Amino acid sequence: MARKRYPGIAAFEPELIRGALIGAVLKLDPRSLVRNPVMFLVEIGGIITTLITFAGLASPAAGDVFFSGMVSLWLWLTVLFANVAESLSEGRGKARAASLRESRAAVPAHRLREEAFGAQADEVASSDLRQGDLVLVREGEIVPGDGEVVKGAALVNEAAITGESAPVVREAGGDRSAVTGGTTVIANEIIVRITAEPGQTFLDRMIAMVEGAERRKTPNEIALDILLLSLTAVFLLAVGNIYPASAYSAAASGTGAPVGPVVLVALFVCLAPTTIAALLPAIGIAGMDRLFQRNVVALSGRAIEAAGDVNVLLLDKTGTITLGNRQAAEFVPVEGQSRADLMEAALLSSAADETPEGRSIVALIREKAGADVTCPPGAKFIPFSAVTRVSGAECHGTTYLKGAADAVVKAVREHGGTPPPDLAAKVTGIASAGGTPLVVARGPTILGVIYLKDILKTGIRERFSDLRRIGIRTVMITGDNPLTAAAIAAEAGVDDYLAEAKPDDKLRLIRGYQNEGYMVAMTGDGTNDAPALAQADVAVAMNSGTQPAREAANIIDLDSDPTKLLDIVEVGKEILMTRGALTTFSIANDVAKYFAIIPAALAGVYPRLAVLNIMGLATPGSAILSAVIFNALVIPLLIPLALAGVRFRPMPASQLFVYNLIIFGLGGVVVPFIGIKVIDLVISGILPAGG
């Protein structure tokens, strides 16, 4: 069935641009802008130069007014461009949140007085429900709030939340018991225990996160903010000392004049790390939006950043590394028995077995027989039991069984039979090859073994190889025996595995890696996964899982696809790479601005600095203005990169460092030289000679 996705929300749709422009103007409020100290100081500089411009309107020095007015204009545009970047990324989140709000409307709920389908029910509004209330949800009704199914099973349409049009089963007593408010029951009826208070539901948290309302700065962002603030403080002190130094030099030499306030403001703005300061807020918000495009909701910004630093991945075998359904691959008769008898017994014991494994056995028999095969009438199916660990059928007084080796051997001995001497070797051989052996018996006679094979997901080995190249260790977790686990781990290409894993084993494994200094990520969907999810640095819960698993996680996969963990790590890496790349570019492009603005600002007092004008800029005024204009224009030019992110490339850290230095470091040096020179050529004929 085709997947229904959320409507595409492009970064530059006209409606979003209009909203971003309005938001950018509103963010000029100093109380809002003070959260970004660098841009706050640029705004103060804009205020100073604007006041100087208005004061100079009464003066006959029209050239000075034109120059200060142009500097003021481009300083205000610098702040506006920075605000537009943040507003655009926030706007996409708000647009997505608006579509989610449609699922949050109040609906009637049938609140039960006891946990029974025939119990008396009171009709109340969903907003009146409280944690612990029991509600009955019938076919065609909307689930009134987040909860867990405590009785019954139903088909639920979760398209309003996940974008997935195919209905899913939600039932009591398993790992698929959680339901989300706003979804619709389309078949059968269920009793749900409400697990969240109004305003605290999963949907409320999703809306808050995609809007950015609850997004807090991550440790990496805080550290980068401290670096930017430190650089800004250094440049502020340096520029502040230029005026007295230039005044002293001018007085001592009798030539030139002290550097004016407009030039000092322009010098500070060009030297401060304005580019990365302008784009930094947008990078994190856009990263969360990219996750949402993959139907993944991060419940904290810290979780996304941690995903970028992950160096150990714990992955379940079933559904993540393998397709999840073992398939019959071969029939292996024991010595003295024929393959035809084994296939006949396998058919009789599997004909009524509706599990994927049972259906695959019947399909393989039909393929090998070359014709349609059927079970004779009168056969009585023996369902699988957790106690006996076998299933089968009774036909014409004969019992046919298939199941775990030790369970079938026990049943055969109870019927007076003896296991053949080569059975153990055949069972061990299949397990060693990564398969699951199912022993088949007819009455007291064991006929052979069915080889069930776990099918690896396409491309999974290559993805693990990519992760290994960037230093991420992959660990497969499975309940299989060590022989089977080792074979599948080798075939999949994971670095390590944990066999016969229990909840305590997972928790100990995570703590062990963390004690060694690793950042650990894992997926889970069951109640027994909750302790390990709570311990992991990045915990991805399946939306189809239990409420305890979802509450313990910091990232929710709406598609319930465990392989999304690999995508989450890639997005986390992209955010870190984008920050690093734009920081490198921002610092590197200051080099060109040094050669443009420093000789222009100081050559009048220190004539020897004119030798630094290697770009041959026309006049001091055009040089300063060119640097200011380039400093402003580079921000909107980099907005698409900040929103889309630097594409993840699986490569070692040293190679990635060199790549960033060449592309963004060298590029950050070269591009401004070209840009400033081109701008100077354009404006040199406009700016009055005295500027």
Side-chain angles (χ1 to χ4, degrees):
M1 188 174 294
R3 179 183 294 280
K4 173 189 173 184
R5 283 294 185 186
Y6 293 106
I9 301 175
F12 300 102
E13 288 183 358
E15 186 176 345
L16 282 184
I17 291 178
R18 284 193 296 270
L21 291 175
I22 294 172
V25 174
L26 295 176
K27 287 178 183 290
L28 290 175
D29 184 345
R31 293 170 298 180
S32 172
L33 203 60
V34 74
R35 294 176 301 171
N36 190 334
V38 178
M39 302 315 300
F40 178 68
L41 290 175
V42 174
E43 183 177 49
I44 291 176
I47 293 172
I48 293 172
T49 55
T50 301
L51 292 176
I52 292 173
T53 300
F54 284 128
L57 288 175
S59 168
D64 292 337
V65 172
F66 179 83
F67 175 72
S68 61
M70 290 295 291
V71 170
S72 299
L73 171 65
W74 284 99
L75 292 186
W76 285 111
L77 286 175
T78 300
V79 180
L80 278 172
F81 290 152
N83 292 346
V84 166
E86 185 173 4
S87 296
L88 267 177
S89 55
E90 289 176 348
R92 290 202 295 182
K94 290 176 181 178
R96 297 186 190 282
S99 66
L100 290 173
R101 278 200 181 91
E102 298 174 2
S103 306
R104 204 177 54 170
V107 296
H110 308 292
R111 183 166 59 192
L112 298 175
R113 299 186 180 181
E114 58 180 297
E115 189 180 314
F117 279 111
Q120 187 172 354
D122 302 317
E123 186 166 309
V124 298
S126 59
S127 57
D128 294 331
L129 294 175
R130 293 294 178 267
Q131 189 173 357
D133 285 348
L134 295 169
V135 294
L136 174 66
V137 188
R138 302 188 182 98
E139 182 176 328
E141 294 180 345
I142 296 175
V143 178
D146 289 2
E148 282 198 293
V149 179
V150 295
K151 195 174 285 293
L155 276 178
V156 179
N157 181 357
E158 297 185 338
I161 307 299
T162 67
E164 172 61 72
S165 59
V168 294
V169 176
R170 295 289 176 260
E171 57 187 345
D175 287 345
R176 298 185 178 272
S177 60
V179 289
T180 304
T183 57
T184 305
V185 173
I186 60 175
N188 302 331
E189 59 183 20
I190 48 177
I191 295 177
V192 176
R193 178 180 289 113
I194 300 298
T195 57
E197 297 287 346
Q200 301 175 6
T201 64
F202 176 63
L203 190 56
D204 289 317
R205 294 167 72 191
M206 282 178 60
I207 291 172
M209 288 306 300
V210 298
E211 282 186 321
E214 289 186 1
R215 185 184 176 275
R216 299 175 182 175
K217 288 187 176 181
T218 65
N220 183 277
E221 284 179 282
I222 294 172
L224 192 51
D225 275 342
I226 293 172
L227 172 64
L228 298 182
L229 197 56
S230 300
L231 290 174
T232 302
V234 169
F235 288 127
L236 191 60
L237 289 173
V239 171
N241 286 318
I242 287 177
Y243 178 78
S246 64
Y248 174 80
S249 297
S253 64
T255 59
V259 180
V262 174
V263 174
L264 288 176
V265 170
L267 178 61
F268 165 73
V269 170
C270 288
L271 298 184
T274 51
T275 305
I276 184 60
L279 299 173
L280 185 59
I283 294 170
I285 298 172
M288 298 183 72
D289 185 70
R290 287 202 299 279
L291 270 183
F292 195 73
Q293 291 174 30
R294 292 168 165 84
N295 260 13
V296 176
V297 177
L299 302 181
S300 75
R302 184 184 295 267
I304 307 176
E305 181 175 299
D309 289 328
V310 159
N311 40 31
V312 172
L313 285 180
L314 305 184
L315 307 107
D316 282 330
K317 181 202 74 174
T318 305
T320 305
I321 295 173
T322 66
L323 293 175
N325 297 329
R326 296 170 298 177
Q327 298 181 2
E330 188 56 74
F331 297 101
V332 183
V334 296
E335 187 176 350
Q337 302 295 333
S338 69
R339 190 181 303 274
D341 287 345
L342 172 59
M343 291 170 59
E344 179 186 20
L347 172 65
L348 292 171
S349 61
S350 304
D353 186 352
E354 290 302 319
T355 64
E357 291 85 356
R359 290 196 294 269
S360 75
I361 292 171
V362 174
L364 183 61
I365 292 170
R366 288 174 177 166
E367 177 187 331
K368 290 185 174 296
D372 194 18
V373 291
T374 58
C375 185
K380 180 182 177 183
F381 181 57
I382 302 172
F384 176 83
S385 165
V387 176
T388 62
R389 294 187 298 138
V390 297
S391 62
E394 290 184 2
C395 184
H396 303 310
T398 303
T399 301
Y400 298 87
L401 297 177
K402 74 173 189 301
D406 58 336
V408 174
V409 167
K410 179 181 177 182
V412 165
R413 283 176 172 159
E414 288 175 354
H415 284 81
T418 302
D422 61 334
L423 177 64
K426 295 187 183 302
V427 168
T428 302
I430 291 174
S432 299
T436 300
L438 284 184
V439 176
V440 179
R442 180 181 58 204
T445 305
I446 290 178
L447 302 175
V449 187
I450 303 172
Y451 179 2
L452 294 181
K453 183 176 177 58
D454 278 299
I455 307 299
L456 293 182
K457 288 191 172 181
T458 303
I460 196 72
R461 187 179 180 90
E462 289 73 18
R463 296 195 74 177
F464 288 149
S465 178
D466 289 342
L467 292 172
R468 189 177 299 108
R469 281 202 296 272
I470 60 173
I472 294 179
R473 182 179 180 82
T474 53
V475 182
M476 182 185 75
I477 299 177
T478 178
D480 287 336
N481 63 70
L483 284 175
T484 301
I488 295 176
E491 185 179 0
V494 295
D495 298 305
D496 201 356
Y497 64 90
L498 178 65
E500 298 177 344
K502 300 179 180 61
D504 289 347
D505 298 328
K506 298 178 186 178
L507 191 58
R508 279 194 297 271
L509 183 65
I510 292 173
R511 286 175 176 168
Y513 277 117
Q514 289 174 333
N515 290 338
E516 294 176 14
Y518 291 99
M519 294 282 286
V520 182
M522 77 161 288
T523 61
D525 59 1
T527 300
N528 62 354
D529 290 324
L533 287 170
Q535 182 68 35
D537 299 293
V538 177
V540 183
M542 304 298 102
N543 189 49
S544 62
T546 62
Q547 192 69 20
R550 296 203 299 180
E551 290 176 353
N554 47 29
I555 295 178
I556 307 294
D557 173 22
L558 301 180
D559 287 337
S560 300
D561 177 5
T563 59
K564 286 283 187 69
L565 182 55
L566 303 177
D567 294 325
I568 292 167
V569 170
E570 289 185 2
V571 171
K573 293 283 186 187
E574 286 176 358
I575 293 175
L576 295 180
M577 289 168 61
T578 304
R579 286 196 195 123
L582 292 181
T583 301
T584 302
F585 184 89
S586 177
I587 294 174
N589 71 26
D590 281 347
V591 174
K593 288 182 282 187
Y594 295 153
F595 286 96
I597 200 166
I598 289 179
L602 302 177
V605 181
Y606 305 106
R608 291 185 179 181
L609 288 178
V611 72
L612 294 178
N613 184 18
I614 61 176
M615 286 182 278
L617 302 179
T619 66
S622 70
I624 293 170
L625 193 53
S626 297
V628 171
I629 293 174
F630 176 84
N631 192 68
L633 289 179
V634 76
I635 295 172
L637 292 177
L638 290 175
I639 286 177
L641 179 62
L643 296 183
V646 175
R647 189 168 67 87
F648 170 74
R649 297 172 182 269
M651 63 178 69
S654 58
Q655 188 177 345
L656 181 62
F657 177 73
V658 172
Y659 173 83
N660 276 339
L661 278 182
I662 293 174
I663 301 298
F664 298 99
L666 185 59
V669 171
V670 172
V671 170
F673 274 99
I674 299 172
I676 291 173
K677 180 61 178 178
V678 170
I679 295 171
D680 179 75
L681 291 173
V682 172
I683 69 173
S684 59
I686 301 174
L687 190 67

